[in-house]
């Protein structure tokens, strides 16, 4: 399973699920586009040391290891790609990222140390890997799954600062804000809001409006049928087929196309689902699982898929 918002759901539902001293940076742990970045030719050199949270780097990191697919996307998007020497086995974008068999789910400190990193980027502290890397004097930046878009912007800004690409990070954040605002602004106005069901997997786990993904749907005025099933402390409820059919959503978004082989065709074959408005009116949208499960620059692509579905939905 890839690192994703589905991992957050697992927290609530129990479902998804040679030591090297580095002289390049002080030990510590900070918390926190559609295509990889390109080198800049005129950007001024960043001043070091730099500090983000409790992490201080004495000089620009040149051997970065990323065990976070979202972190990998952010690093390349701020033009720090040439400083990345290894990424985890789920870092599938951009295609030229140096993918290895390193695991973000079961990280191994000794395996990481073999790459002689002067910065490791993580999205979670699985098996207390931060302390293990600290013992090896390897600087570590922890960037957990975002709860809001502001969290995404902050992580991009922090990684830009740490890697010597603060200006590129600021430009990326502004471009993302502009793109997201444009997508929302250009949507046609509706007298009645559309309803939707967002599928994490084919056992009907979903998200509510209070999640990071849910906020994207909120911004275009969609109403989430899963909100009625939310429980305190759990914004990733499991619905039932009966509840979904009865709610009769106008749109269905599938975030389980790669992992679980779901599609408009498989949804239409589910018992009782053929009569759902989304199925009848071509409103079943197959998302790219990876784009839908990460909170980095490609969140714009996810918002575009949502906006396109809203624009194409029947008005009556």
């Amino acid at each position: 399973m890839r690192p994703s918002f589905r991992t957050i759901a697992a927290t609530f539902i129990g479902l998804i699920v040679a030591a090297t001293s580095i002289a390049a940076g002080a030990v510590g742990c900070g918390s926190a586009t559609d295509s990889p970045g390109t080198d800049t030719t005129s950007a001024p050199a960043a001043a070091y040391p730099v500090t983000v949270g409790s992490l201080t780097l004495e000089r620009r990191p040149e051997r970065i290891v990323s065990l976070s697919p979202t972190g990998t996307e952010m690093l390349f998007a701020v033009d720090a790609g040439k400083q990345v020497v290894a990424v985890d086995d789920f870092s599938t974008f951009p295609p030229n990222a140096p993918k290895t068999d390193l695991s973000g789910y079961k990280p191994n400190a000794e395996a990481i140390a073999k790459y002689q990193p002067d910065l490791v980027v993580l999205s979670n502290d699985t098996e207390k890997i931060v302390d293990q890397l600290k013992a090896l004097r390897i600087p570590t930046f922890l960037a957990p799954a975002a709860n809001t878009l502001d969290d995404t912007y902050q992580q991009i800004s922090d990684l830009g600062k740490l890697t010597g690409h603060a200006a590129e990070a600021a430009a990326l954040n502004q471009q993302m804000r502009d793109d997201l605002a444009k997508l929302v602004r250009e949507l046609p106005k509706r007298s009645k809001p559309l309803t939707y069901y967002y599928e994490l997997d084919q056992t009907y786990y979903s998200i509510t409006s209070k999640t990071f993904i849910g906020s994207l749907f909120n911004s275009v005025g969609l109403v989430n049928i899963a909100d009625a099933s939310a429980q305190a402390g759990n914004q990733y409820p499991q619905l039932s087929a009966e509840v979904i059919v009865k709610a009769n959503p106008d749109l269905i978004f599938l975030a389980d196309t790669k992992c679980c082989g779901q599609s408009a065709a498989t949804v239409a074959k589910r018992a009782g689902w053929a009569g759902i408005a989304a199925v009848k009116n071509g409103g079943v949208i197959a998302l790219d699982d990876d784009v839908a499960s990460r909170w980095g620059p490609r969140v714009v692509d996810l918002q575009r898929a949502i906006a396109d579905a809203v624009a194409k939905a029947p008005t009556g």
Side-chain angles (χ1 to χ4, degrees), residues 33 58 168 191 235 252:
T33 68
E58 297 297 336
E168 293 91 331
S191 58
Q235 298 303 322
I252 294 175

PDB file of all heavy atoms in Angstrom, residues 33 58 168 191 235 252:
ATOM      1  N   THR A  33       3.123  20.704  -9.212  1.00  0.00           N
ATOM      2  CA  THR A  33       3.018  21.096 -10.540  1.00  0.00           C
ATOM      3  C   THR A  33       2.833  19.904 -11.395  1.00  0.00           C
ATOM      4  O   THR A  33       3.030  18.756 -11.003  1.00  0.00           O
ATOM      5  CB  THR A  33       4.230  21.862 -11.023  1.00  0.00           C
ATOM      6  OG1 THR A  33       5.295  21.035 -11.085  1.00  0.00           O
ATOM      7  CG2 THR A  33       4.383  23.181 -10.383  1.00  0.00           C
ATOM      8  N   GLU A  58      23.582  23.368   8.547  1.00  0.00           N
ATOM      9  CA  GLU A  58      24.716  24.287   8.461  1.00  0.00           C
ATOM     10  C   GLU A  58      25.038  24.664   7.021  1.00  0.00           C
ATOM     11  O   GLU A  58      25.609  25.723   6.768  1.00  0.00           O
ATOM     12  CB  GLU A  58      25.945  23.662   9.127  1.00  0.00           C
ATOM     13  CG  GLU A  58      25.780  23.406  10.613  1.00  0.00           C
ATOM     14  CD  GLU A  58      25.580  24.693  11.400  1.00  0.00           C
ATOM     15  OE1 GLU A  58      26.006  25.763  10.920  1.00  0.00           O
ATOM     16  OE2 GLU A  58      24.962  24.630  12.474  1.00  0.00           O
ATOM     17  N   GLU A 168      11.905  29.535  -5.211  1.00  0.00           N
ATOM     18  CA  GLU A 168      11.148  28.611  -6.056  1.00  0.00           C
ATOM     19  C   GLU A 168       9.919  28.086  -5.313  1.00  0.00           C
ATOM     20  O   GLU A 168       8.839  27.922  -5.896  1.00  0.00           O
ATOM     21  CB  GLU A 168      12.025  27.444  -6.489  1.00  0.00           C
ATOM     22  CG  GLU A 168      13.155  27.829  -7.436  1.00  0.00           C
ATOM     23  CD  GLU A 168      14.442  28.175  -6.695  1.00  0.00           C
ATOM     24  OE1 GLU A 168      14.365  28.648  -5.539  1.00  0.00           O
ATOM     25  OE2 GLU A 168      15.526  27.959  -7.277  1.00  0.00           O
ATOM     26  N   SER A 191     -28.127  26.435  -8.853  1.00  0.00           N
ATOM     27  CA  SER A 191     -29.153  26.807  -7.882  1.00  0.00           C
ATOM     28  C   SER A 191     -29.255  25.768  -6.769  1.00  0.00           C
ATOM     29  O   SER A 191     -29.636  26.080  -5.641  1.00  0.00           O
ATOM     30  CB  SER A 191     -30.511  26.946  -8.582  1.00  0.00           C
ATOM     31  OG  SER A 191     -30.867  25.732  -9.240  1.00  0.00           O
ATOM     32  N   GLN A 235     -13.004  10.771  10.816  1.00  0.00           N
ATOM     33  CA  GLN A 235     -13.513  11.438   9.612  1.00  0.00           C
ATOM     34  C   GLN A 235     -13.354  10.562   8.375  1.00  0.00           C
ATOM     35  O   GLN A 235     -13.395  11.053   7.255  1.00  0.00           O
ATOM     36  CB  GLN A 235     -12.791  12.778   9.426  1.00  0.00           C
ATOM     37  CG  GLN A 235     -13.010  13.762  10.566  1.00  0.00           C
ATOM     38  CD  GLN A 235     -14.482  14.082  10.818  1.00  0.00           C
ATOM     39  OE1 GLN A 235     -15.264  14.205   9.881  1.00  0.00           O
ATOM     40  NE2 GLN A 235     -14.855  14.211  12.084  1.00  0.00           N
ATOM     41  N   ILE A 252     -19.863  10.337  -8.130  1.00  0.00           N
ATOM     42  CA  ILE A 252     -19.088   9.353  -7.388  1.00  0.00           C
ATOM     43  C   ILE A 252     -17.639   9.469  -7.829  1.00  0.00           C
ATOM     44  O   ILE A 252     -17.337   9.409  -9.026  1.00  0.00           O
ATOM     45  CB  ILE A 252     -19.601   7.925  -7.645  1.00  0.00           C
ATOM     46  CG1 ILE A 252     -21.011   7.741  -7.081  1.00  0.00           C
ATOM     47  CG2 ILE A 252     -18.644   6.897  -7.040  1.00  0.00           C
ATOM     48  CD1 ILE A 252     -21.631   6.394  -7.407  1.00  0.00           C
TER      49      ILE A 252
END
